[in-house]
Amino acid sequence: MMDGVAIDGSGTSGSDKPRRGRRVRMTGAERRQQLLDIGRTLFAERGFEGTSVEEIAAKAGVSKPVVYEHFGGKEGLYAVVVDREMRQLLDMVTGALTAGHPRELLEQAAFALLDYIETYTDGFRILVRDSPVAQSTGTFASLISDIATQVEDILGLEFKARGFDPKLAPLYAQALVGMVALTGQWWLDARKPEKAEVAAHLVNLAWHGLDGLEPKPRLIGHRKS
Amino acid sequence: MMDGVAIDGSGTSGSDKPRRGRRVRMTGAERRQQLLDIGRTLFAERGFEGTSVEEIAAKAGVSKPVVYEHFGGKEGLYAVVVDREMRQLLDMVTGALTAGHPRELLEQAAFALLDYIETYTDGFRILVRDSPVAQSTGTFASLISDIATQVEDILGLEFKARGFDPKLAPLYAQALVGMVALTGQWWLDARKPEKAEVAAHLVNLAWHGLDGLEPKPRLIGHRKS
DNA sequence: TGCCATACTTACGTCGCCGTAGGTTACGGG
DNA sequence: CCCGTAACCTACGGCGACGTAAGTATGGCA
């Protein structure tokens, strides 16, 4: 009951240039994009196995074969959704990993992750969940840990410079990413402190530790939203 | 193909006191326990929706109705498995949260969580995954974050004592739990440093921060395994 | 204006899986 | 030795979901 949107090309993109008058007949690309959007939403709230193709099709106002023509099946659609989301997240995080000073790196990365979570909430929920079949490489559940490898490299360099054992970089990278990721997940529900403040506190903890916490941490770098 | 165990009361408990001679006919409690064990394993590797009752029954060497007699259905079994695992984890962690000094608390808790992960790997995997239907209280995905509320209280007190805003305790609690949990998850695959060392490094990070990291951290408290 | 590609539909076959109805075997005590 | 109860089985109904075959509208373009 109360299905919501059903016969509308809702938030496909912005412009309505090739918009017909009444009927819902879209161009291929439009429909494809719409299905991706709907799929992302549904996968986020019900998971892969909990979402049915018919549901996706129904929500798009079309029938199943349309989905099959575009993506070959449920797994196909899911794969594209995940891939896009991975790219988006990776782009944002790697884009933030450019500053020089380690602490600024930390700030930017934490902020970027929170930013992604806020903007692409559904995508984040999907990435946190596990994929349908166990994947190839590390038999690891959550995909976010791929980001940890990014952090690994940076930490590895820093460790070497400081004379620590670079073999420990993965551990610390995981710890940092886990810290931010789980806090972000929590922050999805209780949005109590605003994004920038959360980031500041995370940096506070990661940088100074519980021992040397500052009462009123502040971000150094620029802030956007 | 290659199903493995199929007609054996494998690791139910230890003793074989009421062990019959040949046939697999178990007592109610035995079968129940065995089904719980098998269920835990399968739920851990395939998730709730990916596991079928017939699969569980087959692996136990019985037929479906046995499962239904014991647990009323798949959800029933799952509920019991999750409940037991939650209790186990909660017991271990709360049991570790007794020391006085915050740093020791941190140590013990981190070690306890890693200990749980090592000993009850399947249970941990289940708890990390999300439950079939969104639960009642906080509409939150992962169940481990329930532990964070434990940490919250302690942190809250400490914050008050130090003059920080106690409202921030949840945030830092989440961050700490996330740090340990995700690192533990990573550690499940790459068991490179041993448990105590991982705990030491986690404490190192959480306590001193990246700024004041010690090169060779060491646990203060006692260590068991 | 008529044609053809593209967007889309209805209808169906099939498979896996949940859950149950009703019957069957073994064990243990009187 | 017999019988009841506890453990267990075969068989089935039914539903939901994946995926496909074959047919229908629609809109641009020669």
Side-chain angles (χ1 to χ4, degrees):
Chain A
M1 44 287 276
M2 190 164 284
D3 228 20
V5 56
I7 193 170
D8 192 315
S10 43
T12 282
S13 287
S15 65
D16 41 359
K17 183 184 57 184
R19 180 60 59 82
R20 304 292 135 44
R22 295 185 45 264
R23 214 37 171 192
V24 277
R25 193 171 245 229
M26 296 180 179
T27 149
E30 279 176 330
R31 186 65 78 188
R32 180 185 168 90
Q33 182 59 42
Q34 185 211 19
L35 288 175
L36 280 173
D37 289 341
I38 293 174
R40 180 171 358 93
T41 305
L42 286 179
F43 286 141
E45 65 186 22
R46 302 219 215 299
F48 177 79
E49 321 222 55
T51 306
S52 73
V53 174
E54 358 225 353
E55 206 175 351
I56 297 171
K59 212 150 195 168
V62 293
S63 54
K64 277 185 301 173
V66 176
V67 178
Y68 284 90
E69 296 236 326
H70 275 291
F71 303 98
K74 194 161 70 159
E75 298 225 39
L77 204 173
Y78 186 81
V80 177
V81 168
V82 165
D83 182 78
R84 289 203 174 184
E85 224 53 38
M86 281 285 283
R87 275 192 194 293
Q88 182 70 41
L89 174 55
L90 257 285
D91 278 5
M92 288 176 71
V93 170
T94 35
L97 292 178
T98 56
H101 188 59
R103 169 157 185 184
E104 274 188 88
L105 280 178
L106 185 61
E107 274 192 24
Q108 316 249 11
F111 193 84
L113 218 175
L114 288 177
D115 207 22
Y116 169 78
I117 293 176
E118 184 177 48
T119 313
Y120 305 92
T121 307
D122 287 343
F124 179 69
R125 289 220 148 98
I126 291 177
L127 292 188
V128 164
R129 272 193 158 104
D130 41 30
S131 34
V133 282
Q135 54 269 39
S136 50
T137 61
T139 73
F140 200 8
S142 67
L143 298 173
I144 22 166
S145 74
D146 284 16
I147 303 176
T149 53
Q150 297 274 120
V151 181
E152 247 177 74
D153 302 337
I154 299 173
L155 268 186
L157 291 177
E158 185 65 18
F159 273 27
K160 269 191 163 175
R162 282 214 237 173
F164 294 167
D165 186 0
K167 274 190 184 162
L168 294 171
L171 197 162
Y172 285 90
Q174 281 291 342
L176 288 173
V177 172
M179 194 183 88
V180 183
L182 237 191
T183 307
Q185 207 169 343
W186 160 82
W187 180 63
L188 278 182
D189 296 326
R191 305 249 177 166
K192 302 209 307 200
E194 66 168 16
K195 186 171 43 172
E197 199 183 336
V198 173
H201 284 294
L202 286 177
V203 172
N204 190 20
L205 175 58
W207 192 254
H208 295 115
L210 283 176
D211 193 28
L213 276 190
E214 292 178 349
K216 283 271 176 197
R218 215 85 178 80
L219 287 186
I220 309 178
H222 54 271
R223 13 141 75 177
K224 302 195 291 191
S225 160
Chain B
M1 27 308 268
M2 188 163 285
D3 228 19
V5 55
I7 194 170
D8 191 318
S10 45
T12 282
S13 287
S15 64
D16 41 359
K17 184 183 54 184
R19 180 62 58 81
R20 302 293 135 44
R22 297 183 47 262
R23 216 37 172 187
V24 277
R25 194 170 242 230
M26 296 181 181
T27 152
E30 278 176 331
R31 187 64 78 187
R32 181 184 167 90
Q33 183 58 43
Q34 186 211 19
L35 288 175
L36 281 173
D37 289 342
I38 293 174
R40 182 176 351 97
T41 305
L42 286 178
F43 286 140
E45 66 187 21
R46 303 218 215 298
F48 177 80
E49 321 222 54
T51 306
S52 74
V53 174
E54 358 224 357
E55 207 174 350
I56 297 169
K59 212 150 196 169
V62 293
S63 55
K64 278 185 301 174
V66 175
V67 179
Y68 283 90
E69 295 237 328
H70 274 292
F71 303 99
K74 194 162 70 158
E75 298 226 41
L77 205 173
Y78 186 82
V80 176
V81 168
V82 165
D83 182 78
R84 289 203 176 185
E85 225 52 40
M86 282 285 284
R87 272 189 198 295
Q88 182 69 42
L89 174 55
L90 256 285
D91 278 5
M92 288 176 71
V93 170
T94 35
L97 292 178
T98 56
H101 189 58
R103 169 157 182 183
E104 276 188 86
L105 281 177
L106 185 61
E107 275 193 21
Q108 316 249 10
F111 193 84
L113 219 176
L114 287 178
D115 207 22
Y116 169 78
I117 293 176
E118 184 177 47
T119 312
Y120 305 91
T121 307
D122 287 343
F124 179 68
R125 289 220 149 96
I126 292 177
L127 293 188
V128 163
R129 274 192 156 100
D130 41 30
S131 35
V133 284
Q135 55 266 40
S136 50
T137 61
T139 72
F140 200 11
S142 68
L143 297 175
I144 22 165
S145 73
D146 283 16
I147 303 176
T149 54
Q150 296 274 120
V151 182
E152 248 177 73
D153 302 337
I154 299 174
L155 268 186
L157 292 177
E158 185 65 17
F159 273 28
K160 268 192 163 175
R162 283 215 236 172
F164 293 167
D165 186 1
K167 273 188 183 163
L168 294 172
L171 196 162
Y172 284 91
Q174 281 290 343
L176 288 173
V177 171
M179 195 182 87
V180 182
L182 239 190
T183 306
Q185 206 168 344
W186 160 82
W187 181 65
L188 278 183
D189 296 327
R191 304 248 178 168
K192 303 208 306 197
E194 65 168 15
K195 185 170 46 173
E197 200 183 336
V198 173
H201 284 294
L202 286 177
V203 173
N204 190 20
L205 174 59
W207 192 255
H208 295 115
L210 283 176
D211 194 26
L213 274 191
E214 293 178 348
K216 282 275 176 195
R218 213 85 177 81
L219 287 187
I220 309 178
H222 53 272
R223 17 144 72 178
K224 299 195 290 189
S225 162

